[in-house]
Amino acid sequence: MNASLPDVPEVRVVGLPLLTSGFDLVERLDLAMHLKVHGPLEPIAGEQLATLAEQISLRGRGGAGFPFAKKLRAVAEAAIRRGVRPVVVINGSEDEPACRKDTVLINRAPHLILDGALLAAEALGARTLVVGVTRDSTEASMQAALAERGLSNRRGSILRARVQRNPVRMVTGESSALVRSADGGPPLPPGRKVRTSDSGVGGAPTLLSNAETFAQLAVAARIGAERYRRTGLRDEPGTVLLTLSGAVARPMVVEAPTGVPLRYVLQLAGAPPLPQGVLTGGYHGKWLDAVTAHDAVVSRASLEACGGALGAGAILPLGPGTCPLGEALHVANWLAAESAGQCGPCYLGLPAAARGLADVLDGGGPTALEALREVTRAVKRRGACKHPDGSAAFLESTIAAFTDDLAAHVLGDGCGRPVEGVLPLHDDSPQGQGSSGRKLAVDWTLCQGHGLCADIVPELIQLGPDGFPAVAEAAVPRYSEARAQRAVRRCPALALRIEEAPAAIPAQAPSPGLPMLPRGRGRRALGSGR
């Protein structure tokens, strides 16, 4: 069973703190303590704020890394052109199991985030502020912070501010999903790509950025660009927040200046001296081998240059005692279950990719490996959001990084190591994993191989070479519930049924794919993988 991280893990600092100032004094900086630690903040005119963001090379810290100044100017220009008030949105929807840096900031320093967002709102003339969160702790902390400032969503307020609570799902953190939910719709990507700077919340130009990004802006506005640039690299000044988990002695969030050796940060968290690999950028990120990770430094450019990714700042080393491909299969199954179920590349492609990796681990040989490569290529650049692209990049990087293990599984009997479940996932509750808590099961004594089920729910059931379902039972994600029920109703032989899934599966030596039951053979227990 995979580990999970607490909402607020241990926080450490390399060098002098900027974002985490005051964390050694109190658990949470309320408004009074925030002002004691950071001091007051004066408004800044729009162009001056954009210039400040340029001078400190501020990019979005949510993963995409888009220049903040360019986004700020685009929103201002769209608002002037259309003659409407823009909206400011803080994206605190940190739903990836390996990321906690925004959650830590919202729980412990919410006013630093609000400072940056309110600076932008004042500069743009915005009258609406929305804070997107997905956790009980972040919702409570941000609600309290708004109350401490006297901000509310009451009509007639100079600035209407509210917290938008969404479910813990990978796709709810996507910008268009947050905008859609803020407008009263489902927290899912709409399928049509529209820049939020042109049309966001309520159709108005919207400045949407990650929680850490606004906090960095607030720090720079207080200390000035020149002092801010004294920390870190010349082309990427300042600090970054990193979440360290995986094979570490102490999972933690670290604030570190850019340019710090990655190996130093790993040592701080108690990572193995020679990890098999280091996953950078989280579950939409890329793997580095031990030698490359040893030479890399903490910066977007450095990690990209050596084949990694900074992404949302998640860093996960793997120790020598676990099967890296088996660990990746746990994640691949979780990524497939996190689909919004709206487009084929996601709700068909990602489960197929997870099954492909399971086939490789199960002795499918070169044919299974080539099928896996083909399906990962097929899902890229075709989804309604970036979830298929990021998931495919993770799988492609896994294949490229662990060539020795891959060869052992493809050409031999496997690497011989167990899967320890060191890569964190959400807990086993259905709510935490996009599952309906139910499973689709085939009664082999009745099944006649009509194949209608595979046509209705191809993301869950495929036909084997003999024309019968290749799946004995499969967990039903929320997005597939309606189709699964339709498949049950339309089965001519009444061989398909929906059952309640067990509340929890005991941790065992895992190999996490769907339980496969080819005709005429014994069941190969592959576990649920989540």
Side-chain angles (χ1 to χ4, degrees):
M1 183 181 298
N2 289 64
S4 60
L5 295 178
D7 272 11
V8 185
E10 176 185 356
V11 178
R12 301 289 295 273
V13 181
V14 178
L16 295 176
L18 294 178
L19 300 175
T20 59
S21 294
F23 280 23
D24 58 334
L25 303 175
V26 291
E27 283 299 308
R28 179 184 181 274
L29 280 74
D30 60 14
L31 183 56
M33 181 59 74
H34 167 74
L35 292 174
K36 286 181 182 178
V37 170
H38 293 283
L41 183 60
E42 297 296 324
I44 299 177
E47 185 53 37
Q48 288 178 305
L49 192 63
T51 300
L52 173 66
E54 282 182 333
Q55 289 173 338
I56 64 171
S57 303
L58 181 61
R59 290 176 172 267
R61 301 301 179 92
F66 193 81
F68 185 83
K70 186 178 293 187
K71 186 183 295 186
L72 186 66
R73 288 194 175 102
V75 172
E77 290 168 3
I80 293 171
R81 183 174 64 250
R82 293 175 53 191
V84 297
R85 294 276 188 182
V87 176
V88 174
V89 176
I90 300 169
N91 192 349
S93 307
E94 193 172 46
D95 302 317
E96 185 174 327
C99 293
R100 287 295 185 276
K101 51 108 174 171
D102 289 331
T103 303
V104 163
L105 271 183
I106 295 173
N107 274 280
R108 302 196 61 182
H111 289 286
L112 196 62
I113 301 166
L114 287 176
D115 277 347
L118 293 173
L119 272 179
E122 180 71 18
L124 291 168
R127 294 293 179 263
T128 303
L129 172 66
V130 180
V131 186
V133 298
T134 54
R135 302 175 187 275
D136 291 339
S137 63
T138 50
E139 181 181 22
S141 181
M142 194 53 78
Q143 291 280 23
L146 293 178
E148 288 162 7
R149 288 178 179 253
L151 296 173
S152 71
N153 196 32
R154 289 193 302 268
R155 291 190 178 185
S157 302
I158 296 177
L159 177 72
R160 297 183 64 175
R162 60 186 171 91
V163 175
Q164 174 67 37
R165 174 68 183 270
N166 287 329
V168 180
R169 293 288 308 282
M170 187 78 162
V171 294
T172 59
E174 206 269 341
S175 60
S176 63
L178 180 52
V179 167
R180 193 178 181 190
S181 68
D183 282 336
L188 301 173
R192 186 172 59 90
K193 294 179 173 64
V194 178
R195 291 189 302 179
T196 56
S197 58
D198 292 331
S199 178
V201 176
T206 298
L207 177 68
L208 188 151
S209 206
N210 162 265
E212 184 194 342
T213 312
F214 283 115
Q216 294 282 1
L217 183 67
V219 168
R222 278 188 167 89
I223 68 177
E226 182 179 351
R227 183 177 164 193
Y228 186 96
R229 292 183 63 85
R230 292 175 189 169
T231 301
L233 299 171
R234 175 178 297 181
D235 54 347
E236 290 185 47
T239 63
V240 294
L241 288 179
L242 305 172
T243 308
L244 277 293
S245 64
V248 297
R250 300 175 304 280
M252 62 179 60
V253 169
V254 178
E255 182 180 11
T258 55
V260 167
L262 180 60
R263 64 180 179 275
Y264 179 80
V265 178
L266 291 170
Q267 290 169 3
L268 191 66
L274 286 174
Q276 286 192 78
V278 178
L279 181 59
T280 58
Y283 297 155
H284 280 179
K286 299 178 180 179
W287 291 96
L288 299 179
D289 61 45
V291 175
T292 304
H294 184 272
D295 296 333
V297 301
V298 175
S299 81
R300 186 177 303 277
S302 170
L303 291 173
E304 288 178 356
C306 61
L310 179 61
I315 306 294
L316 302 99
L318 271 189
T322 188
C323 172
L325 299 179
E327 294 285 352
L329 182 54
H330 275 291
V331 176
N333 276 311
W334 179 81
L335 290 169
E338 287 297 292
S339 166
Q342 297 186 129
C343 62
C346 200
Y347 85 82
L348 294 177
L350 297 188
R355 288 191 299 271
L357 183 55
D359 287 344
V360 170
L361 289 172
D362 203 34
T367 302
L369 178 58
E370 184 53 37
L372 172 60
R373 286 179 168 145
E374 183 176 344
V375 73
T376 54
R377 286 193 297 265
V379 302
K380 291 192 297 184
R381 293 179 294 278
R382 294 175 55 232
C385 68
K386 295 296 184 182
H387 183 53
D389 293 1
S391 302
F394 167 79
L395 286 167
E396 288 179 334
S397 178
T398 300
I399 295 171
F402 301 107
T403 52
D404 290 345
D405 294 272
L406 191 65
H409 284 281
V410 171
L411 304 176
D413 295 327
C415 65
R417 286 171 291 181
V419 181
E420 297 178 342
V422 298
L423 298 182
L425 296 176
H426 293 312
D427 60 33
D428 287 345
S429 65
Q431 181 181 5
Q433 298 188 35
S435 170
S436 65
R438 311 174 85 183
K439 64 179 181 179
L440 197 62
V442 178
D443 185 337
W444 293 117
T445 64
L446 298 175
C447 181
Q448 298 175 9
H450 292 95
L452 286 177
C453 54
D455 291 336
I456 298 172
V457 279
E459 69 271 29
L460 302 180
I461 295 179
Q462 300 78 41
L463 300 183
D466 55 4
F468 283 82
V471 177
E473 57 184 39
V476 179
R478 292 193 197 110
Y479 65 81
S480 290
E481 273 193 285
R483 286 193 294 270
Q485 290 170 352
R486 187 161 67 249
V488 170
R489 290 195 300 267
R490 294 188 60 185
C491 178
L494 304 179
L496 201 62
R497 62 194 61 176
I498 292 181
E499 303 171 350
E500 294 299 320
I505 299 174
Q508 295 176 349
S511 66
L514 294 173
M516 305 295 288
L517 187 58
R519 298 281 290 178
R521 292 183 59 187
R523 183 175 297 182
R524 295 177 291 175
L526 297 179
S528 70
R530 295 186 302 180

